Structures are given as structure tokens and as C-alpha cells.
Amino acid sequence: MTKQLRDIIADIDLTLIQGSLDLPITNITDDSRQVTPGSLFIVRSWVHDGASIIGNPSGYARSFIQDAVLLGAIAIIDVHDQDIPTYDSHLTEPIGRPAIPSSITLLTTPPNTKIDQAFVGQLADNFFDHPASKLKLLGITGTNGKTTTAFITQHLLQSFNHKTGLIGTVHIDTGSGIQPTELTTPGSIELHRILAQMVDNNCTHAIMEVSSHALHQRRTHNLQFDAAIFTNLSGDHLDFHPDMNSYAAAKAILFESLSDNAWAIINADDTFARRMAQSCTAKQLLTTTNPDFQTAPHTHHQVCHVNITSLSIDGSSARYTGPWGSTSARLPLIGRHNALNAIQALAALHVLNLPGKTKPRQIRRALESTPGIPGRLEQVFINPSQYDLAALEFNPAHLALDPFTAQPEDPTELPTELPYPTVLVDYSHTDDSLENALLAVRPLALGRVITVFGCGGDRDKTKRPRMASVASEYSDIVVITSDNPRTEDPIAIIEDVIPGIPIPQLSPKAPIEDRIQAFTSETAIGEGGGIIEPDRAKAIHKAILLANPEDVVLIAGKGHETYQILRTQDVTDPDLLKTATPAPKGTVKIHFDDREYAKNALKNWATRFYDSAPE
């Protein structure tokens, strides 16, 4: 794509310091590493809002100008000189702008103007020729359920012949293939670039997961949404937001930005539903699992009900009722929470498909063909192989084997017909999402529920004991391990988790060493106690080897993720370290997929539980 610089900045107040506005710009970026010949490079501002730092300090950002020039930038936008702060104690004055060749166009903002995500987004919107206006755009926000709701909605829209792109936590789908993603909601420039790709690929609709960070930083400020969904709100990201009210206020920005002609789809069962609706002037659809829920007579809110009739380990049956009518369907996703995700997706289908017809029979077919969501209560299977199934007999004596001494093995693949424990991998990394997952599987387990979970380092510490409390309440055995420890000591994170587990024989103020000893004692297994294993691979293996065929093992926290971030010194496997990728602050990113480790553990489980399993 090429666009004249003059057209990119046409409606933006900037001062030309040197050069010409009649330049063909081939790329726009605020990251010097992404500069290509013909680029416009934007020097983003440093902003401190009292809770967090957003963007780069301007002094440091200015230090990248020379890199951008060397890589081929032909135009630069920088802040006004008086807006450069002294931002660090070791600096006595701000870093000045480096000398820029006269052949490079330089523009600056007026005084007191921040080059933030909203400012950058306006430039990107102009450069990419306003792609959002050419799509029906749906934003989904909330603590949990965003990804599942996004996947269901995309599937429903495509079932009604609407080519639909998706931007979210798992991946980006531009309509011509899947791309990896690092952020739930990319930065402003990347958002517009992706939306432009969707337009080029003939998408008519786009779905976007919108994080509270993105809303707070105004990454979506220049996007006009046709509809927005609020899933729920629970404790998370309180390392970024000062408190729950601030967290809710960030989420509410999405609904405050909706036009009168847009639609707000709000989970009325959530305590923060009123906060989302408070300053929203859009038309509203309220979703609920409460059959008695009614809106006030004077309101114009429409209500969408989901009445769940049965739940099983392979899905749920429910009746879905809304402005489109009423239909019963079996959703092949586990849990009550997914039925609520589905009603919100149906509401989105209704408003984004108008004035089309959404016939109940088509809705039922679409719901019942919903694909599994990566890392969301995703079941781990063993691949089938060919040999005599009758020769395999269960050996109860193997239950007495010590699971803690077993090492992962990779025997010949075993058939799915064997009665294995049910192993589920889920992205639940908050107490609320973990509770939803456990509430979904607890009633369906024929035997015990064994839960493996950890808590991320350098993130909200307040949820650590809460997650432990939930895991303890709904599990028979709890295995506490690492998630992404990042720069924190994995043992220190676990010590933050342990106080959330009630140990009746000890005072809540008992020393952490006493609590750990009581939790991990042999007599505590199955009686509210469990295992502490900081090595996540070993923790998964131990949990599965503890399981009987009728048990359910829930591996929570990482879901679809295929990596783990640890301090370099915590990676003890030299082969793993060789393939690791350096990450910030002395950490490394290693390949780690819960599903792969669970599959290997299941193979090892079978070789120990069946006399005639292949060697």
C-alpha cells in the first residue's frame, strides 16, 4: 500500500519542520524494528497515568530515530520539544532529538499533545483507508469467555455465509489463513493493518477480543464498533488497574464509545452489568440464564434467555430464546458457562446479520457443529493404533505403583478405546474462570477430580490464594505447579498460593512451612491436600499417573499456549535451553504445550496400568 503523506496527516494538527508533504509513504510504524524503505516513523510519547507506564519514555523513543532513518524511514513525526519529560532519576535533562538529514521530512505535534495509541491510530486509519468502516465490527470484552464467545460467533456468522475475520488471544484470522498473536488486542497500527487485510480478503465482518489494557491505552479509540459484548468481570489484572472499579471503568470504555445505532450485548447475570450499561447509549440486548429475569417495563432492553436442560462431558443441551425466536440445540462444548457464551454469540449473530433471516433450524445446525476451542476444556486423546484390543486387560495391582518415580516414556501409540482418565486442558488463569471450569467437570466426573494449576509471575498477586481456594473446594487432589514464573522465583509464587488452601488442623497464621507440610502429607492426598511440584512437566505427569480410569484431570492455566517463560537459571535441561528464546529481564521462553506433556503422560499411564500394553 502507498499513500501520500499529505493525505495521511490531512485532518491532524502537525507542524512541518523540514522536508515535503508530497511523499509516497509505503509503511507506517511506531516500532523502529518494523521500519522499511519508504516508512513514516512515529515517535510515541511517554505517559504515566499513576498506575502504569504506557509506551516508551520519549527520550528513549527519540534514541530510535537514527535506527529508523538507517532502515529507510523518509518521514518522522515527533512530539513538541517542550513535551519531552525528565523521566528517570539518573537523567538531569531530557534526551534531545538527534540530527535528522535534510532529506527526511520531520513533523511535530502542537505543545501538550501526546503521541499515544489514539493519535497513532488516527494516522493508521488514514493510511489504511479506514478499513473498519468497510466491515461490520464486533468487540468482545470481559475477564473470561472472550475467546470462546469470539470463536462461536465467527462460526455462526460463517454458517450464515458471512466471511468473518477474527483478532484474539489464540490467533488472528484475516480470511486467508491463521497468524500467530502475542497480545489479545494488538496496538493501533497493527489493528488497522489486520483489518485492512480482512477487507482485501473480502471479509464482511470482523470480531475482536478487546482487553482492558487496550481500552485503557486507547488502542481501539478510532474504531467504530457495530456491536459489543460484555461477558463478565472478576478479579484479574489488578497489577495494572488499581482496583476493581478502575478495571470495570476500563471495560466500560467500549460501551461508552458505541453509537446510538450500535448494539450492546450485556451479560445481565454479572454484577458489573449495570456499570457497562451506565453510559451506553446503544441499543441493548441482555443475556441471562435466569428464566425469571425481566427488564423494567419502561426500558427498551430486549432479553435473550438460555435454558440449560442437560450437561455432560461432551457438551450441553439448552433452549436459546431471543428476538430471533426460540430453538433447542446440543452445544458440543462443556459447561454452563459455555451455554451463556453461546447465547451471547447468538445475540451477536442476530444484530450483525440484520436484516437477514436467522431461522431456528439454521441456528440449531450451526450451534451443533461448533468446533472445539483450542485450550478451552480441550480433551487430550491418544491416537489409535492397530493391535488386538482383547489382549489388553486392566491390572488393578498397578494402582499401587509409585507415580512420583515414573519417567515420561513414548511407547507405541495406544487406542482410544481403552478406558483412560479424562484429561482436559483449559486456559483458566483466574479464580472465576477456574471455578467455571471445575463447576463444569465436577458433576460429570465418575471418579475424582485432580486439578493442576499455577499462577503467573509478575502479574496480579491477589488472585493467587483465591485460585488455590477454588481449586481446593472443587477438587479431590490439587497439584500446585508453575505457570509462567517470568522473573519471579517459582517457589515464592507457590508460597503465595498456599495460604488460600484451608487446612483445618492449622491456624490461618501458621508458618508457610507448616502449611506446606500439612498440605503435602501422605494422609492429606484426597482429603483436601495434594502435591507441590514447581516443574510443570513433572506436575502434569504426576497428576495423570495418580488418576484412575474414571477420574478427570484438569490442567489449568495455559490452555492453547505453546511456551513457558522462566528465569534462565530455572531451566535445568541443557537441551531445552539450547532451543530457548531470550526474553526480557533475564528470562527465556521455552517451548511448552500442556497438551503434548499430557499426551505423553497418558501413554506412560497406559503402559503401567495394562499388562499387555506395547513396550
Side-chain angles (χ1 to χ4, degrees), residues 214-230:
L215 290 163
H216 182 81
Q217 295 172 2
R218 308 208 299 167
R219 297 180 210 165
T220 60
H221 184 74
N222 296 281
L223 301 179
Q224 189 63 55
F225 291 90
D226 294 277
I229 292 176
F230 169 66

Side-chain angles (χ1 to χ4, degrees), residues 531-573:
I531 299 167
I532 292 176
E533 174 51 76
D535 185 314
R536 190 173 180 91
K538 291 179 180 177
I540 291 170
H541 196 69
K542 289 178 179 180
I544 289 175
L545 287 187
L546 272 176
N548 297 327
E550 67 273 15
D551 293 342
V552 174
V553 179
L554 175 68
I555 305 171
K558 294 184 64 60
H560 66 282
E561 292 179 350
T562 57
Y563 63 86
Q564 191 175 27
I565 302 172
L566 310 95
R567 298 181 304 179
T568 306
Q569 67 263 36
D570 293 327
V571 184
T572 56
D573 184 342

Side-chain angles (χ1 to χ4, degrees), residues 192 455 566 604:
H192 285 84
C455 294
L566 310 95
N604 192 222

Side-chain angles (χ1 to χ4, degrees), residues 450-454 477-481 536 539-540 543 553-557:
I450 302 171
T451 300
V452 182
F453 85 99
I477 300 175
V478 177
V479 180
I480 302 174
T481 186
R536 190 173 180 91
I540 291 170
V553 179
L554 175 68
I555 305 171

